[in-house]
Amino acid sequence: MALHRSLPLPEEGDLTRGFPDRNCLLQYLRQEFPAAAAIDGQLSPVIGGRKAAELALRRVDPLAYGRSRNFLKGAVTQLSPYIRHGLLGLAELKQWLVDQTRPWRDQEKLISELAWRDFWQRVWQQFGDGIWQNIEELKTGHSAESYGDSLPLDLRNGETKLACIDAFQRQLVNTGWLHNHARLWLAAYVVHWRRVRWQMGARWFLQHLIDADPASNNLSWQWVASCFSAKPYVFNRANLEKYAGDSFCRSCAMVNSCPFDASYEQIQGQLFIPIQPNTNKLNDNKLRAENSNLANHNLGKEKLVKPLLWIHQESLGPANPLWRAWPEAPGLFVFDRGCIEHGQIGLKRLGFVYESLLELPLVLRNGDPVLEIQAFAKRCGCDGVLTQAPLDPHLKRIIAALQQQLPVVEVACEPFVDLPSPPQLQRFTKFWKLAEPLLREQFINE
């Protein structure tokens, strides 16, 4: 993606855009964002930006992914940081797979995993901040109030003496990325073995993961906890050794007292209280009504003569429809000082975003997004704001506040799959039943 547009003359408070190397970028970020550096003070080994995203995409082997994705050393894509920040769009990835001209069966597993992300996003769009609450009753036999409200210090510091759990903690904190299977194992340990509320673990992940997507993150934690699934997710030592090898167990100080060394029936008997089948299901009618009322955003909604482009953390790549539609409009990205200072983001994710932004012709600021966008509009003589329609309720609240002073036009990205009617979002299987034949048809026809 080559974007050529002029930037307004620099002003006081504009963030630095030129760095000779990553170390200089790191030192600058530590100084500019001390609260993020207090969470983790290094950059991730995963490089940010569209160029890095394209390199990662070229390494993807859909067939190998389908066969080995559950193994820690399997052919996983590691595309999630780029998808989360819009550097690669879901529709773009679907088209890339179509263009491979491989049989559907060779690519179906990767397509279905992309569909999982689309499903999570649709649930987030409907529930908003409600994804921080239990969507359903827990199926563990324990009350929600019986779970702890803080992450144990030994777990946060990687000092549980369980080699696998401590290794996952180190990888999370040191790299900002974890294999999905490791995330599930770690989440299950937090919620079921340590009896900690899933929200505590979800916040911990969002602080460190460079692909920190609240939809995929929170709803996966709820899936593990059993408040958005039919049963709680657990694992045992045999499962761990099958997909991770035996290196953890061979070096573990707890090898002779491993809490995971039991059958699934024994573990479930130890961790959970038998309960009657849960009949408390989501209200499909409510979900359908909310889904049908979602706004249909388009460029013709408002007539703006000289807009500014507000680029946010969901819209850093060419999937953002504004880049080519408004090639001359000045662009702005604002690091949300309030969120950063409240400890919601570590330096690894912030650095990944910053590195990605350095490829884009944007002015970078650090402050209150509403005030910064209003000031930038005045600075550039703009009569309104164009932005990619966000999923994050926090970004939606920023838009609502902006609209008190400026017209804001939200533009939707191309959808991953167009469904003829609002889907039921109780379970992915119901969603996939609608989406799979439509996706399969595109592969057959093209």
Coordinates of all heavy atoms in Angstrom, one line a residue, residues 8-9 11-14 308 310 330-332 334 363 365-385 401-402 405-406:
P8 N 0.2 18.3 7.2 CA 0.3 19.7 7.6 C 1.6 20.1 8.2 O 2.3 19.2 8.7 CB -0.9 19.9 8.5 CG -1.2 18.5 9.0 CD -0.8 17.6 7.9
L9 N 2.0 21.3 8.3 CA 3.2 21.7 9.0 C 3.2 21.2 10.4 O 2.1 21.3 11.1 CB 3.4 23.2 8.9 CG 3.6 23.8 7.5 CD1 3.6 25.3 7.5 CD2 4.9 23.3 6.9
E11 N 3.4 21.0 14.4 CA 3.1 21.9 15.5 C 3.5 21.2 16.8 O 3.8 20.0 16.8 CB 1.6 22.1 15.5 CG 1.1 23.1 14.4 CD -0.4 23.6 14.7 OE1 -0.9 23.2 15.8 OE2 -0.9 24.3 13.9
E12 N 3.6 22.0 17.8 CA 4.0 21.5 19.1 C 3.0 20.4 19.6 O 1.8 20.6 19.4 CB 4.0 22.7 20.1 CG 4.4 22.2 21.5 CD 4.4 23.4 22.5 OE1 4.2 24.5 22.1 OE2 4.7 23.1 23.7
G13 N 3.5 19.3 20.1 CA 2.7 18.2 20.5 C 2.6 17.1 19.5 O 2.1 16.0 19.8
D14 N 2.9 17.4 18.2 CA 3.0 16.3 17.2 C 4.0 15.3 17.6 O 5.2 15.7 18.0 CB 3.3 16.8 15.8 CG 2.1 17.6 15.2 OD1 1.1 17.7 15.9 OD2 2.3 18.2 14.1
L308 N -11.5 15.6 7.5 CA -10.2 15.0 8.0 C -10.5 13.5 8.2 O -11.6 13.1 8.5 CB -9.7 15.7 9.3 CG -10.5 15.5 10.6 CD1 -10.1 14.2 11.3 CD2 -10.3 16.6 11.6
W310 N -10.0 10.5 10.5 CA -9.6 10.0 11.8 C -9.3 8.5 11.7 O -10.2 7.7 11.5 CB -10.6 10.3 12.9 CG -10.3 9.6 14.2 CD1 -9.1 9.5 14.8 CD2 -11.2 9.0 15.1 NE1 -9.2 8.8 16.0 CE2 -10.5 8.5 16.2 CE3 -12.6 8.8 15.0 CZ2 -11.1 7.8 17.2 CZ3 -13.2 8.1 16.1 CH2 -12.5 7.6 17.2
P330 N -6.4 15.4 5.1 CA -5.4 15.2 6.1 C -5.8 14.1 7.1 O -7.0 13.9 7.4 CB -5.3 16.6 6.8 CG -6.6 17.2 6.5 CD -7.1 16.7 5.2
G331 N -4.8 13.3 7.6 CA -5.1 12.2 8.5 C -4.5 12.4 9.8 O -3.5 13.0 10.0
L332 N -5.2 11.8 10.8 CA -4.8 12.0 12.2 C -5.0 10.7 13.0 O -6.0 10.0 12.8 CB -5.6 13.1 12.9 CG -5.4 13.3 14.4 CD1 -4.1 13.9 14.7 CD2 -6.6 14.1 15.0
V334 N -4.7 9.5 17.1 CA -4.6 10.0 18.5 C -4.4 8.8 19.4 O -5.2 7.9 19.5 CB -5.8 10.8 19.0 CG1 -5.5 11.3 20.4 CG2 -6.0 12.0 18.0
V363 N -0.6 12.6 10.9 CA -0.1 13.3 12.1 C -0.5 12.5 13.3 O -1.6 11.9 13.5 CB -0.8 14.7 12.2 CG1 -0.4 15.3 13.6 CG2 -0.3 15.6 11.1
R365 N -0.7 12.2 17.5 CA -0.9 13.0 18.7 C -1.1 12.0 19.9 O -1.5 10.9 19.7 CB -2.0 13.9 18.6 CG -2.0 14.9 17.4 CD -1.0 16.1 17.6 NE -1.5 16.9 18.7 CZ -0.9 18.1 19.1 NH1 0.2 18.5 18.5 NH2 -1.4 18.8 20.1
N366 N -0.9 12.6 21.1 CA -1.1 11.9 22.3 C -2.0 12.7 23.2 O -1.5 13.8 23.7 CB 0.2 11.5 23.0 CG 0.0 10.8 24.3 OD1 -1.0 10.2 24.6 ND2 1.1 10.8 25.2
G367 N -3.2 12.3 23.5 CA -4.1 13.2 24.4 C -5.5 12.7 24.4 O -5.8 11.5 24.2
D368 N -6.4 13.6 24.7 CA -7.9 13.3 24.6 C -8.3 13.2 23.2 O -8.2 14.3 22.5 CB -8.6 14.3 25.4 CG -10.1 14.1 25.5 OD1 -10.7 13.8 24.4 OD2 -10.7 14.1 26.6
P369 N -8.8 12.1 22.7 CA -9.1 12.0 21.2 C -10.1 13.1 20.8 O -10.0 13.6 19.7 CB -9.7 10.6 21.1 CG -9.1 9.8 22.2 CD -8.9 10.8 23.3
V370 N -11.1 13.4 21.6 CA -12.2 14.3 21.2 C -11.5 15.7 21.0 O -11.7 16.4 20.0 CB -13.3 14.4 22.2 CG1 -14.3 15.5 21.8 CG2 -14.0 13.0 22.2
L371 N -10.8 16.1 22.0 CA -10.1 17.5 21.9 C -9.1 17.5 20.8 O -9.0 18.5 20.1 CB -9.5 17.8 23.3 CG -10.4 17.9 24.5 CD1 -9.7 18.2 25.7 CD2 -11.5 18.9 24.2
E372 N -8.3 16.5 20.6 CA -7.3 16.5 19.6 C -7.9 16.5 18.2 O -7.4 17.2 17.3 CB -6.4 15.2 19.8 CG -5.5 15.2 21.0 CD -4.4 16.3 21.0 OE1 -4.1 16.8 19.9 OE2 -3.8 16.6 22.0
I373 N -9.0 15.8 18.0 CA -9.6 15.8 16.7 C -10.2 17.1 16.4 O -10.1 17.6 15.3 CB -10.7 14.6 16.6 CG1 -10.0 13.3 16.7 CG2 -11.5 14.7 15.3 CD1 -10.9 12.1 16.9
Q374 N -10.9 17.7 17.4 CA -11.5 19.0 17.2 C -10.4 20.0 16.9 O -10.6 20.9 15.9 CB -12.3 19.4 18.4 CG -13.5 18.6 18.7 CD -14.2 18.9 20.0 OE1 -13.5 19.5 20.9 NE2 -15.4 18.6 20.1
A375 N -9.3 20.0 17.6 CA -8.2 21.0 17.3 C -7.6 20.7 16.0 O -7.2 21.7 15.3 CB -7.1 20.8 18.4
F376 N -7.5 19.5 15.5 CA -6.9 19.2 14.2 C -7.8 19.6 13.1 O -7.3 20.1 12.1 CB -6.6 17.7 14.1 CG -5.8 17.3 12.9 CD1 -4.4 17.6 12.9 CD2 -6.4 16.6 11.9 CE1 -3.7 17.2 11.8 CE2 -5.6 16.2 10.8 CZ -4.2 16.5 10.7
A377 N -9.1 19.5 13.3 CA -10.0 20.0 12.3 C -9.9 21.5 12.1 O -9.9 22.0 11.0 CB -11.5 19.7 12.7
K378 N -9.7 22.2 13.2 CA -9.5 23.7 13.1 C -8.2 24.0 12.5 O -8.1 24.9 11.7 CB -9.6 24.3 14.6 CG -9.5 25.8 14.6 CD -9.7 26.3 16.0 CE -9.6 27.8 16.1 NZ -9.8 28.3 17.5
R379 N -7.2 23.3 12.9 CA -5.8 23.5 12.3 C -5.8 23.3 10.8 O -5.1 24.1 10.1 CB -4.9 22.5 13.0 CG -3.5 22.4 12.4 CD -2.7 21.3 13.3 NE -1.5 20.9 12.7 CZ -0.7 20.0 13.3 NH1 -1.0 19.4 14.4 NH2 0.5 19.6 12.7
C380 N -6.5 22.4 10.3 CA -6.5 22.1 8.8 C -7.7 22.7 8.1 O -7.8 22.5 6.9 CB -6.5 20.6 8.6 SG -5.0 19.7 9.3
G381 N -8.6 23.4 8.8 CA -9.7 24.0 8.1 C -10.7 23.0 7.6 O -11.3 23.2 6.6
C382 N -10.9 21.9 8.4 CA -11.8 20.8 8.0 C -13.3 21.0 8.5 O -13.5 21.6 9.6 CB -11.3 19.5 8.5 SG -9.7 19.0 7.8
D383 N -14.2 20.6 7.7 CA -15.6 20.8 8.1 C -16.3 19.5 8.7 O -17.5 19.5 8.9 CB -16.4 21.3 6.9 CG -16.5 20.3 5.7 OD1 -15.7 19.3 5.7 OD2 -17.2 20.6 4.8
G384 N -15.5 18.5 8.9 CA -16.1 17.3 9.5 C -15.1 16.2 9.5 O -13.9 16.3 9.1
V385 N -15.5 15.0 10.0 CA -14.6 13.9 10.2 C -15.1 12.7 9.5 O -16.3 12.4 9.5 CB -14.6 13.5 11.7 CG1 -13.7 12.3 12.0 CG2 -14.1 14.8 12.5
A401 N -19.3 12.0 21.1 CA -18.9 13.3 21.7 C -18.5 14.2 20.6 O -18.8 15.4 20.7 CB -17.7 13.0 22.7
L402 N -17.8 13.7 19.6 CA -17.4 14.6 18.4 C -18.6 15.2 17.7 O -18.6 16.4 17.3 CB -16.6 13.8 17.4 CG -15.1 13.5 17.8 CD1 -14.6 12.5 16.7 CD2 -14.3 14.8 17.8
Q405 N -20.0 18.7 18.1 CA -19.3 19.9 17.5 C -19.1 19.7 16.0 O -19.1 20.7 15.3 CB -17.9 20.1 18.2 CG -18.0 20.3 19.7 CD -18.7 21.6 20.1 OE1 -18.6 22.6 19.3 NE2 -19.3 21.6 21.2
L406 N -18.9 18.5 15.5 CA -18.6 18.3 14.1 C -19.4 17.2 13.5 O -19.7 16.2 14.2 CB -17.1 17.9 14.0 CG -16.0 19.0 14.2 CD1 -14.7 18.3 14.4 CD2 -16.0 20.0 13.1

